[in-house]
Amino acid sequence: MKLLLIGSASVHTFRYLAGIAPHVDEIHLVTSGELPERYHAANLGRVLQVDFSLRALATAGKIAGLIAALQPDIVHVHQANSVAWHARRALAGRKLPWLLTCWGSDVLLLPRQNRFMKQLVAANLAAASAVTSDSLNMAAVCRELAPIRRMDVLNFGMDALPPAPDIAAKPLQVLSCRLHKPLYRIDSIVRAWAEVEADARFAGWTLTVAASGEETESLKTLAAHLGLGRVKFTGFVAPEVLAGLYRDARVFVSVPQSDATSISLLEAMGHGCLPLLSNLPANLEWVLDGVNGAIVEDVGRLGDAMKAQLLRAADDAQLAEAVALNRRLVAEKGLHQHNMQRFADIYRDLLALPEGNRR
């Protein structure tokens, strides 16, 4: 099977490439930036860099030229935004099956911007041979936007389930590791942490703020302004370092305004963290409030919710019970290689369809 993968220059695209490569004979890539060496697969062929912005009208022609040269068996497009728009135009008139994978904001936020964007996303969804979503909620939104030929719900998954954590050995730590962008509301986490530091019951607890982004400096300034003494900003860290941060944390906090199933949530659950999450439909598919984590409905009251979770997570028996359930969920639905096999199965299903039913 010869696969053409089309997606933005994101770690998610590159990680998918490395994961799906063993399941196909050849893989070729169209992306918007440099492919890091660590993601090069042994069967990787052509890599074409293009501009996926809407103003880059020549991009569809470049992709079409590559398709004509390669003659792939199937095309997999990541994100139903301008990436899929360029790919859809390149594929026009061809009886070539293509899979469209939605990531979250492309379906949950972009169509809300204006009528044009809504129509663009809807047309992309309707044109695809099949669509995948990493949450049931996002799948439902896709179906509201356009008729879908086939929908599968599956995620990219975490790399592997680590050994069961030693709960008693976990220090009293809280971890935030989402990007420092307005969407992820890291400032709300910092403000909530100020309430924790002001409460003598939590004198032994610390907060680690990993990752970085456009708001990093303002977040550090906010922490200094609030007089926080138990917050550590690490910046971006290597995957093995991040795994250690998960392992050492008792609570994982993530409160974005919009999200699908995040890999960071799966990793936190797999490593034995108790999740504290914003009230989003995708989160509700993984965490039942008060059972295997907590859902905060009002981020303005995140401080109270965080303190309640810290009290629970400090109890080894309670934490162990939640961790066991979370690791079972990840093992059943959130492992990378298992889900890569499922993606490969979709490819084979599409190729098995009569030629007239592939598009």
Side-chain angles (χ1 to χ4, degrees):
M1 184 194 310
K2 187 186 298 185
L3 168 67
L4 177 60
L5 181 66
I6 304 176
S8 60
S10 162
V11 65
H12 299 304
T13 302
F14 301 152
R15 184 169 172 263
Y16 183 88
L17 183 152
I20 199 65
H23 299 274
V24 298
D25 299 310
E26 295 179 32
I27 186 166
H28 305 268
L29 175 67
V30 178
T31 189
S32 54
E34 199 73 31
L35 175 66
E37 186 65 32
R38 62 176 296 189
Y39 295 108
H40 279 244
N43 57 346
L44 176 65
R46 293 277 299 275
V47 177
L48 174 66
Q49 288 190 35
V50 299
D51 181 354
F52 283 127
S53 66
L54 290 174
R55 66 178 180 274
L57 299 180
T59 294
K62 294 177 181 178
I63 298 173
L66 183 64
I67 291 172
L70 294 175
Q71 294 294 307
D73 297 306
I74 194 163
V75 176
H76 189 171
V77 181
H78 285 254
Q79 292 187 279
N81 52 20
S82 61
V83 175
W85 179 67
H86 290 296
R88 171 165 58 90
R89 292 188 300 131
L91 287 161
R94 302 175 188 272
K95 295 180 180 179
L96 184 62
W98 65 286
L99 177 65
L100 175 56
T101 290
C102 303
W103 283 13
S105 60
D106 52 339
V107 170
L108 301 177
L109 296 181
L110 190 60
R112 300 179 186 177
Q113 289 187 4
N114 53 55
R115 183 178 297 178
F116 171 77
M117 289 301 181
K118 183 176 182 179
Q119 292 175 341
L120 181 144
V121 172
N124 293 339
L125 292 167
S129 307
V131 176
T132 73
S133 160
D134 65 19
S135 72
L136 291 166
N137 170 70
M138 187 161 65
V141 172
C142 288
R143 290 196 179 278
E144 290 175 357
L145 288 167
I148 306 294
R149 290 175 174 81
R150 167 177 172 167
M151 172 67 74
D152 288 81
V153 178
L154 71 161
N155 55 73
F156 294 171
M158 68 179 295
D159 288 335
L161 195 65
D166 182 348
I167 300 297
K170 276 180 173 280
L172 301 178
Q173 290 184 11
V174 178
L175 175 64
S176 164
C177 60
R178 308 304 299 273
L179 291 175
H180 300 178
K181 298 169 64 174
L183 174 68
Y184 296 103
R185 300 192 288 200
I186 309 299
D187 60 323
S188 295
I189 295 173
V190 173
R191 295 180 191 279
W193 184 254
E195 297 181 40
V196 173
E197 285 204 10
D199 192 324
R201 293 177 297 171
F202 307 104
W205 284 85
T206 60
L207 168 67
T208 299
V209 180
S212 61
E214 63 193 69
E215 293 190 326
T216 298
E217 292 308 313
S218 63
L219 290 169
K220 291 180 178 178
T221 299
L222 175 62
H225 175 73
L226 294 172
L228 302 181
R230 288 180 274 134
V231 178
K232 179 182 180 182
F233 290 88
T234 68
F236 276 114
V237 296
E240 59 273 16
V241 176
L242 181 58
L245 295 178
Y246 285 125
R247 185 183 61 247
D248 290 342
R250 287 180 176 251
V251 174
F252 166 76
V253 57
S254 174
V255 290
Q257 293 173 307
S258 177
D259 211 357
T261 295
S262 72
I263 299 302
S264 59
L265 171 60
L266 300 182
E267 291 173 338
M269 293 170 67
H271 281 279
C273 303
L274 193 63
L276 173 58
L277 310 172
S278 48
N279 187 8
L280 298 174
N283 288 339
L284 302 181
E285 295 177 26
W286 292 94
V287 170
L288 183 61
D289 184 43
V291 176
N292 61 327
I295 304 294
V296 56
E297 194 282 324
D298 180 2
V299 175
R301 299 173 59 193
L302 180 59
D304 290 337
M306 189 178 293
K307 286 189 282 187
Q309 281 297 91
L310 266 55
L311 289 173
R312 183 180 178 200
D315 185 313
D316 289 349
Q318 289 193 59
L319 180 58
E321 184 177 4
V323 166
L325 175 55
N326 286 337
R327 284 172 54 83
R328 178 181 171 187
L329 287 170
V330 172
E332 292 180 354
K333 300 198 303 176
L335 292 181
H336 186 61
Q337 275 308 316
H338 175 263
N339 289 354
M340 291 302 102
Q341 180 60 62
R342 289 184 60 196
F343 274 107
D345 290 343
I346 295 173
Y347 296 166
R348 292 181 176 86
D349 287 350
L350 294 178
L351 289 172
L353 291 173
E355 192 172 89
N357 294 336
R358 292 179 178 179
R359 292 294 307 280

